[in-house]
Amino acid sequence: LRNNSAMLENDSNHLDCLQNIEEAGIRPVTKISDDHWQLSMSNDAGSYELDIKDQDPWYTYGAQLLPPVEGDHLDEFHRFVLEINSFLNGAKIGIEADNSLVIVSEEPKSFASAPTIYESISSFNEAHRYAYREVISKAAALELKFKDGVEIY
């Protein structure tokens, strides 16, 4: 991680984000590119990779919620997923073209600091926990399957 910090010294915005993540006590951080970092996260619903991207003027946080699903009741499932968005505080669930689900949130870079990044990541983790449990339960109830044929239960 220290090597990643040294590589970013010339870009204070990117360095600030990495320093804020480190100062928030969130480790390990993997640098994917100059404007993209990844954290291995977990909660009582499961483990996932959290992507943090510098998309000026925002830091965006995102993770895959479910891999692609298929079945006879996709329209009902998609309506349910969109309803869940109204219960999430700051995070949103998106439906990708392949029927996978992603969860995202964002934070203005102008307000970013170690405490706000820590709070954003903590809030994201809670939103992920809640959303994952809700959508996996609904997918199972609708007898959807992952596109690789694995049943959801």
Side-chain angles (χ1 to χ4, degrees):
L1 190 57
R2 300 224 183 273
N3 290 341
N4 290 346
S5 295
M7 292 166 55
L8 295 173
E9 283 179 353
N10 292 331
D11 186 338
S12 63
N13 285 334
H14 298 310
L15 181 58
D16 288 346
C17 182
L18 185 60
Q19 284 178 336
N20 285 330
I21 294 169
E22 290 176 325
E23 288 173 14
I26 302 168
R27 293 194 176 112
V29 180
T30 302
K31 179 185 170 211
I32 306 300
S33 68
D34 283 346
D35 58 358
H36 181 189
W37 302 271
Q38 196 169 69
L39 303 171
S40 293
M41 300 291 293
S42 65
N43 53 47
D44 58 0
S47 298
Y48 63 97
E49 297 299 317
L50 172 62
D51 289 296
I52 302 172
K53 294 184 179 180
D54 181 346
Q55 296 183 313
D56 204 15
W58 301 91
Y59 288 128
T60 59
Y61 305 87
Q64 184 179 55
L65 194 56
L66 281 185
V69 295
E70 59 187 3
D72 293 334
H73 304 286
L74 279 176
D75 288 343
E76 183 178 347
F77 180 66
H78 290 163
R79 278 192 303 277
F80 176 79
V81 167
L82 294 176
E83 289 173 13
I84 292 293
N85 279 328
S86 66
F87 297 104
L88 299 176
N89 185 17
K92 300 174 251 356
I93 301 172
I95 302 166
E96 298 288 325
D98 66 356
N99 286 317
S100 62
L101 299 182
V102 294
I103 185 168
V104 297
S105 67
E106 55 194 15
E107 170 181 22
K109 287 174 59 175
S110 59
F111 297 118
S113 66
T116 63
I117 287 176
Y118 180 84
E119 180 60 33
S120 293
I121 291 170
S122 296
S123 294
F124 185 94
N125 197 38
E126 281 302 305
H128 178 277
R129 181 191 59 76
Y130 171 78
Y132 179 81
R133 287 180 166 178
E134 293 294 318
V135 298
I136 201 74
S137 294
K138 186 66 168 184
L142 293 173
E143 299 179 351
L144 299 179
K145 294 183 179 183
F146 294 121
K147 280 198 174 178
D148 62 8
V150 175
E151 290 189 29
I152 299 171
Y153 52 92

